[in-house]
Amino acid sequence: MSEPFIRKAQMRDVKVIHHLLLTCSTQGILLPRSLTQLYNSLREFNVLDPGDGGDIIGCSALSIVWDGLAEIRSLIVDESVRRGGYGRMLVEACLDEARTLGIYKIFTLTYQDAFFQKQGFVEVSKEVLPQKIWADCVNCPKFPECDEIAMLIEIQPDDSGES
Ligand SMILES: CC(C)(COP(=O)(O)OP(=O)(O)OC[C@H]1O[C@@H](n2cnc3c(N)ncnc32)[C@H](O)[C@@H]1OP(=O)(O)O)[C@@H](O)C(=O)NCCC(=O)NCCS
């Protein structure tokens, strides 16, 4: 039987990512992203491939914000396969990528604080992320009344000698 696996996003995934984000945004959980934004940032995305040739069933993106600082965005696992460990895999894919890039501080803005806590993130004040505010938040419809929780993880360089 085929098993879902994580891979980098490809052009054929964009419309499915768009749909996943739209579904969550109508529930107020995530911000929608336009197709233009998704094409521009396609290289940031990891996707959860079902392994059976069907459409992807999850995604995550690592977006570089500043020197040594990146954000996990657009994390979604399709409802049909939640609580199967795939959310964790999508977060780990972002953290591995950050490590490869030499980025050791990764944050997210989320309502899923309990999930991120389990991945080692800790809640921080949004004031410790000023670059995020300059770059993105000012353009968000929720600004400045953002009720998302800022969570940060500091990871260690890979000391295996491989990158
Ligand atoms: C958040 C989300 C990505 C989690 O995906 P998932 O595949 O269900 O998560 P996993 O199965 O990998 O869970 C990993 C661990 O977190 C726990 N967990 C998962 N969702 C949780 C939640 N909402 N609250 C508390 N714990 C949660 C799991 O029980 C598991 O715990 P364990 O390590 O003790 O077994 C998924 O619920 C989702 O897509 N939500 C809608 C979109 C969203 O809110 N994204 C986050 C925006 S930043």
Side-chain angles (χ1 to χ4, degrees):
M1 217 181 73
S2 55
E3 279 291 315
F5 63 94
I6 308 282
R7 61 168 170 78
K8 289 300 288 179
Q10 298 172 1
M11 200 47 87
R12 64 188 160 106
D13 304 316
V14 171
K15 289 194 175 135
V16 191
I17 294 172
H18 186 248
H19 180 74
L20 286 170
L21 286 170
L22 211 55
T23 309
C24 277
S25 71
T26 56
Q27 298 163 1
I29 304 171
L30 285 178
L31 289 174
R33 293 177 81 176
S34 68
L35 280 172
T36 312
Q37 286 171 324
L38 292 177
Y39 288 124
N40 285 338
S41 58
L42 182 60
R43 278 177 287 201
E44 295 180 354
F45 274 84
N46 301 296
V47 293
L48 181 60
D49 187 309
D52 61 3
D55 283 344
I56 57 154
I57 47 176
C59 59
S60 63
L62 181 78
S63 178
I64 300 172
V65 173
W66 196 248
D67 184 11
L69 182 68
E71 177 183 10
I72 293 181
R73 303 176 65 162
S74 305
L75 170 69
I76 301 180
V77 172
D78 187 84
E79 268 175 341
S80 61
V81 289
R82 280 187 197 159
R83 302 283 178 145
Y86 299 121
R88 180 193 300 283
M89 283 165 60
L90 283 162
V91 168
E92 276 170 5
C94 290
L95 299 183
D96 286 347
E97 211 165 4
R99 205 175 275 112
T100 303
L101 289 163
I103 299 171
Y104 304 116
K105 281 189 186 183
I106 301 98
F107 73 94
T108 192
L109 292 173
T110 187
Y111 298 109
Q112 299 285 351
D113 49 324
F115 165 80
F116 278 101
Q117 235 164 36
K118 288 201 162 177
Q119 322 310 317
F121 287 70
V122 293
E123 186 173 343
V124 291
S125 152
K126 290 192 191 83
E127 281 70 56
V128 304
L129 304 167
Q131 299 89 354
K132 170 66 183 168
I133 309 290
W134 302 330
D136 250 349
C137 292
V138 284
N139 298 317
C140 174
K142 291 184 178 177
F143 186 78
E145 305 296 330
C146 175
D147 55 351
E148 289 182 313
I149 299 161
M151 304 208 64
L152 180 78
I153 189 169
E154 298 197 31
I155 57 173
Q156 300 302 314
D158 182 356
D159 56 9
S160 68
E162 296 168 19
S163 60

